[in-house]
Amino acid sequence: MDTTDSTLHADLLVVGFGKGGTAVAKKMGRLGKRVVLVEQSERMYGGTCPNVGCVPTKALVHHAGKRRDSDPAQEWYERSVEEVQALTALFRSGNYEAMNGTETVTVVTGRAVFVDPHTVGVDAGGERLTISAETILIDTGAETIIPDTPGLRESKHTLTSTGLIETTLLPERLAIVGGGYIGIEFASIYRRFGSRVTVFEASSRILGREDDEAAAVAESILTGDGIEIVKGAHVTEVRDGETGATVVYEQDGRRHTLEADIILAATGRAPATRGLGLDAAGVRTTEHGAVEVDERLRTSQPHIYALGDVRGGPQHTYLSLDDSRVVLDQLLGEGRRSVSDRVAVPRTLFMTPPLATVGLTEREARAAGHRVRIASEPVAEIVAMPRAYIVEETRGFMKFVIDVETDEILGAVLLSVDAQELINTVALAMRHGVKAAELRDAVYNHPTSTEAFNEVLATIVRTDEPLERSSNGGSAPC
């Protein structure tokens, strides 16, 4: 095929179809600016979330939760994957049309490589493009890390989360290497689909960054669902066989093996900066490969910004979206907004029931010098939360970390039905200085999960100083 050369100039060049970059591109395009967006894969229009992240995985959570014991596992799983892939295809097409349909925005499919601080070269099929721009956004996301464990990368049975959600054959035996968010979420999904699931975690506990009690309760829920969790396990080798793979691991100084049909590598994701030619652009990276940025997301080149996972830090779509607000304030506003403005950013692990957290853990609060009181209660004992019984999900607990002197909510852990929604209310309260007593004494709709706050925040299980009697005597049954 003959190759042609073309040159484009834009006001704004966005490298990568991530949430933050596309939000900026849409705004600038609507203002009549010339925008070029380069995405290396036609399967990633819209970025990680709608294609291989939030949308498909949470859709699988939904489908797995609907399966009854009498439903054939393989048939149910295959149909679920097909429906989820149809959904992501719909989202992908919509994202492309929404962007490319803007008159002044051009979407180019191909891999961009910097040739100088204002220019990238793109091999777009049979066309070589040279694209220059006054302002450039890097929004290439992150990619899965597969450890250097002998045989793991080479095994034909090893998959990343991206590959697993596209596989229509349900693994009878699923081994997951990594007990963090991705590993635990997939363990919960595939166990409910009917797989036998084993999670290997190298440390002494899963969810190492979470509250100690939350990790323990989450583990009890997972093991109660039939998931095997092997802690302190170091996977040393993977050997392929005729029908599956053998996972070799060490625990407590002893060598063990486990047979698996599929091995999910769930040991984290790293910023996708390889091959971008950042040196040619004069853009510095951190020791972990992330694009180095300041509080306003400017790189070492003031006209180049980095948004989302590629800049390091927590990998959440909603943070990438907020990154777009920071960048737009630099391009169109007063230039005051920065990432340091963010407080009380929530996060959710979509196991069943979901685990949602915000702010400091009890351990972190004390380490920071706070005197705290802890309000906590198991969901099954929260009289004011009949919704948990209505939907037949009473597992989990709620916990609040409260500053003794100010009554400020320092952090919260919600492991319960609807936690992914409840946590937003808590985060909003924290951002606006709503005291624990106000959240406790508020009037909530009934029967909802939110009204659990009335009771939980009045249930003090420990405090760093004597506690005066609460004005709230608790809640009575409805």
Side-chain angles (χ1 to χ4, degrees):
M1 181 183 293
D2 293 335
T3 301
T4 59
D5 295 323
S6 299
T7 301
L8 296 175
H9 181 76
D11 297 306
L12 174 69
L13 167 63
V14 181
V15 181
F17 216 126
K19 184 74 170 181
T22 55
V24 177
K26 286 179 184 177
K27 178 67 173 180
M28 300 297 280
R30 288 168 183 159
L31 293 175
K33 302 295 183 180
R34 293 167 297 175
V35 179
V36 176
L37 189 153
V38 181
E39 169 52 53
Q40 66 177 349
S41 171
E42 62 183 11
R43 291 184 58 80
M44 290 298 289
Y45 297 145
T48 296
C49 179
N51 293 295
V52 298
C54 319
V55 171
T57 56
K58 279 51 180 180
L60 286 175
V61 170
H62 171 69
H63 282 279
K66 289 169 59 180
R67 177 181 170 265
R68 299 163 301 188
D69 290 340
S70 59
D71 294 317
Q74 171 56 37
E75 180 182 324
W76 187 274
Y77 174 71
E78 184 174 355
R79 184 169 63 249
S80 297
V81 170
E82 290 171 352
E83 291 180 8
V84 170
Q85 289 303 310
L87 176 64
T88 59
L90 179 66
F91 277 38
R92 185 160 52 245
S93 174
N95 278 304
Y96 178 82
E97 293 301 329
M99 185 61 62
N100 204 55
T102 304
E103 185 176 353
T104 60
V105 177
T106 301
V107 177
V108 175
T109 304
R111 183 167 181 80
V113 180
F114 281 94
V115 294
D116 66 45
H118 280 277
T119 311
V120 300
V122 181
D123 183 1
E127 187 176 17
R128 281 197 302 264
L129 298 177
T130 300
I131 306 170
S132 61
E134 301 303 318
T135 302
I136 299 176
L137 310 185
I138 303 172
D139 193 12
T140 51
E143 54 192 359
T144 300
I145 302 169
I146 301 181
D148 291 329
T149 304
L152 182 60
R153 291 180 183 172
E154 297 78 15
S155 173
K156 62 183 179 181
H157 301 284
T158 297
L159 293 175
T160 65
S161 58
T162 300
L164 184 55
I165 63 175
E166 296 179 350
T167 301
T168 55
L169 182 62
L170 178 68
E172 181 180 342
R173 304 162 300 176
L174 175 63
I176 300 177
V177 182
Y181 266 44
I182 294 175
I184 296 305
E185 183 172 296
F186 273 79
S188 183
I189 291 170
Y190 278 82
R191 181 68 192 114
R192 291 172 75 84
F193 271 126
S195 297
R196 285 185 288 155
V197 179
T198 301
V199 177
F200 295 103
E201 170 54 45
S203 66
S204 60
R205 51 169 277 193
I206 61 169
L207 304 174
R209 297 181 180 180
E210 300 302 328
D211 175 87
D212 298 337
E213 290 178 87
V217 175
E219 181 176 344
S220 69
I221 290 173
L222 294 163
T223 56
D225 283 341
I227 296 168
E228 181 183 12
I229 299 176
V230 186
K231 296 174 291 187
H234 299 273
V235 177
T236 59
E237 183 184 3
V238 171
R239 298 195 299 260
D240 276 3
E242 292 185 6
T243 60
T246 300
V247 180
V248 183
Y249 65 98
E250 292 181 356
Q251 183 188 39
D252 297 327
R254 301 182 64 182
R255 182 176 176 273
H256 307 268
T257 61
L258 178 85
E259 302 300 315
D261 301 302
I262 294 294
I263 303 168
L264 172 63
T267 51
R269 293 169 62 84
T273 55
R274 292 183 300 169
L276 285 178
L278 296 179
D279 287 345
V283 173
R284 292 194 297 267
T285 57
T286 69
E287 61 179 334
H288 300 295
V291 177
E292 184 179 289
V293 294
D294 64 13
E295 289 191 346
R296 290 176 170 77
L297 303 178
R298 294 173 298 206
T299 70
S300 47
Q301 293 285 1
H303 68 286
I304 301 178
Y305 297 81
L307 305 83
D309 297 352
V310 74
R311 67 176 185 84
Q315 298 175 355
H316 301 303
T317 296
Y318 45 90
L319 290 184
S320 181
L321 177 60
D322 196 58
D323 282 353
S324 73
R325 301 179 185 119
V326 173
V327 172
L328 283 169
D329 189 46
Q330 311 308 308
L331 301 181
L332 303 173
E334 299 179 349
R336 295 180 179 179
R337 189 162 186 156
S338 75
V339 295
S340 62
D341 297 332
R342 295 174 187 156
V343 294
V345 176
R347 60 186 183 272
T348 300
L349 164 62
F350 283 83
M351 57 180 284
T352 303
L355 167 62
T357 62
V358 65
L360 301 177
T361 66
E362 180 178 352
R363 179 164 25 91
E364 290 169 341
R366 286 200 167 94
H370 295 279
R371 288 188 298 161
V372 301
R373 64 176 182 267
I374 305 301
S376 180
E377 193 168 9
V379 170
E381 298 177 13
I382 303 175
V383 176
M385 191 181 176
R387 174 163 164 74
Y389 286 88
I390 292 170
V391 300
E392 301 179 290
E393 181 55 272
T394 59
R395 297 178 297 176
F397 82 124
M398 294 186 180
K399 176 179 179 179
F400 288 82
V401 182
I402 304 161
D403 188 280
V404 165
E405 297 176 353
T406 65
D407 198 38
E408 290 180 287
I409 301 169
L410 302 174
V413 177
L414 309 178
L415 176 50
S416 72
V417 62
D418 299 331
Q420 77 279 10
E421 301 292 348
L422 297 175
I423 202 66
N424 291 319
T425 297
V426 179
L428 187 65
M430 291 172 65
R431 287 186 211 117
H432 292 277
V434 175
K435 306 299 185 182
E438 294 178 85
L439 198 64
R440 178 197 68 206
D441 295 339
V443 178
Y444 300 107
N445 193 14
H446 176 80
T448 64
S449 295
T450 318
E451 61 184 331
F453 297 162
N454 292 145
E455 182 174 328
V456 175
L457 283 162
T459 308
I460 307 302
V461 297
R462 53 187 171 272
T463 182
D464 289 345
E465 69 174 22
L467 182 69
E468 294 183 3
R469 183 176 295 274
S470 168
S471 62
N472 184 335
S475 301
C478 63

